[in-house]
């Protein structure tokens, strides 16, 4: 039996919020018809006992109970999960990862069937990035990786190909070499180089000094005029 709690506040006009003891609030609501068809209303005393039992039993075990067909690998409804990550250079392990997941696809949870990268932060503050992968399949993963590597080596030998390839050195590109060895440009060298290049491109211009010219201003002699009337004799 599974215990749920129906919130009095409806999520929408026709659905209700559902709260479970092991997973908390559901992301989606439930219609009133589905609610009454799947669950039976009980008293508060009976609901408390069922709620407590479901909460305690799903701490490290799925909500299917001890008779689950998938065994301890089933994590459906578990309240506390132990997640393992494969970090480092996992690209070479990818074919073995896909083969291992395909072998145990029916026993894996939905999030473990897809090889996705996760970033987690530990209690110490350190951060890890890796592929989520169940710990109980690590031995099978290593076995598949060894088999795939051996088959690849044997196929190469059978085809007459050497596993070691020696290539002649590639000639050096002089233009790329000069560009790589050139000192990095800064604001000062960039604009200074551009200014010097601009000066080199300009043609020299010969300047001729201009002769100073003087302008003669005519001199005007002014005569004083006497006041009106005949001149006086002394």
């Amino acid at each position: 039996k599974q215990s749920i709690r129906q919130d009095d506040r409806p999520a929408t006009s026709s659905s209700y919020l559902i709260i479970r003891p092991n997973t908390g609030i559901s992301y989606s609501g439930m219609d009133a018809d589905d609610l009454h068809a799947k669950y039976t209303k009980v008293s508060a005393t009976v609901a408390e006992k069922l709620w407590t039992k479901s909460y305690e039993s799903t701490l490290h075990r799925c909500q299917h109970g001890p008779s689950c067909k998938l065994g301890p690998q089933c994590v459906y409804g578990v309240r506390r999960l132990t997640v393992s990550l494969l970090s480092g250079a996992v690209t070479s392990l990818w074919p073995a990862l896909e083969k291992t997941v395909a072998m145990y696809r029916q026993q894996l949870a939905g999030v473990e069937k897809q090889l996705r990268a996760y970033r987690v932060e530990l209690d110490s503050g350190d951060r890890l990035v890796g592929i989520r992968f169940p710990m109980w399949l690590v031995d099978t993963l290593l076995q598949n990786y060894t088999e795939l590597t051996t088959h690849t080596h044997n196929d190469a030998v059978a085809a007459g190909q050497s596993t070691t390839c020696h290539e002649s050195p590639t000639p050096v590109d002089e233009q790329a070499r000069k560009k790589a060895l050139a000192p990095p440009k800064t604001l000062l060298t960039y604009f200074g180089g551009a200014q010097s290049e601009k000066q080199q491109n300009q043609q020299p211009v010969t300047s001729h000094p201009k002769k100073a010219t003087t302008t003669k201003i005519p001199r005007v002699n002014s005569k004083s005029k006497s006041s009106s009337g005949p001149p006086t004799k002394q």
Side-chain angles (χ1 to χ4, degrees), residues 6 13 17 21 30 33 39 53 66 103 105 112 116 120 131 165 191 218 229:
Q6 173 189 349
S13 58
L17 293 175
M30 182 178 294
D33 296 338
Y39 299 96
K53 181 180 178 181
M103 293 172 57
R105 192 173 187 83
E112 295 177 342
R116 293 183 178 180
V120 297
I131 304 298
C165 181
F191 289 106

Side-chain angles (χ1 to χ4, degrees), residues 6 9 12 17 70 72 76 79 90 96 104 108 121 125 154 156 176 209 219 225 230:
Q6 173 189 349
R9 297 168 300 173
T12 60
L17 293 175
L70 299 179
Y76 183 79
R79 289 198 294 116
V90 298
Y104 295 89
L108 296 177
E121 184 175 354
N154 294 338
R219 186 175 181 180
K225 296 181 180 180

Side-chain angles (χ1 to χ4, degrees), residues 119-138:
R119 182 179 62 181
V120 297
E121 184 175 354
L122 306 179
D123 296 337
S124 59
D126 298 334
R127 295 181 179 180
L128 295 178
V129 178
I131 304 298
R132 180 171 178 174
F133 191 79
M135 184 62 66
W136 58 279
L137 287 180
V138 172

Side-chain angles (χ1 to χ4, degrees), residues 14-127:
S14 61
S15 63
Y16 292 87
L17 293 175
I18 301 299
I19 305 175
R20 295 180 173 85
N22 53 339
T23 58
I25 301 177
S26 177
Y27 291 102
S28 59
M30 182 178 294
D31 294 337
D33 296 338
D34 294 340
L35 181 66
H36 295 298
K38 295 180 180 179
Y39 299 96
T40 304
K41 187 176 181 179
V42 296
S43 61
T45 305
V46 178
E48 183 179 359
K49 292 181 180 180
L50 295 176
W51 185 279
T52 304
K53 181 180 178 181
S54 179
Y55 180 82
E56 294 177 352
S57 62
T58 55
L59 178 61
H60 299 290
R61 192 174 58 188
C62 67
Q63 68 180 25
H64 300 145
S67 59
C68 180
K69 297 180 180 180
L70 299 179
Q73 290 79 21
C74 182
V75 295
Y76 183 79
V78 179
R79 289 198 294 116
R80 182 178 297 176
L81 292 174
T82 300
V83 179
S84 56
L85 296 180
L86 292 177
S87 59
V90 298
T91 306
S92 59
L93 296 175
W94 206 262
L97 287 170
E98 293 180 341
K99 181 180 179 180
T100 306
V101 170
M103 293 172 57
Y104 295 89
R105 192 173 187 83
Q106 299 298 330
Q107 303 181 23
L108 296 177
V111 294
E112 295 177 342
K113 294 179 182 180
Q114 300 177 356
L115 299 174
R116 293 183 178 180
Y118 287 84
R119 182 179 62 181
V120 297
E121 184 175 354
L122 306 179
D123 296 337
S124 59
D126 298 334
R127 295 181 179 180

Side-chain angles (χ1 to χ4, degrees), residues 204-230:
V205 179
T206 305
S207 59
H208 300 281
K210 296 181 180 180
K211 296 182 179 180
T213 57
T214 58
T215 304
K216 295 183 178 181
I217 301 175
R219 186 175 181 180
V220 179
N221 297 325
S222 60
K223 297 181 179 181
S224 59
K225 296 181 180 180
S226 59
S227 57
S228 59

Side-chain angles (χ1 to χ4, degrees), residues 152-164:
T152 303
H153 175 74
N154 294 338
D155 293 342
V157 174
Q161 300 176 359
S162 176
T163 56
T164 304

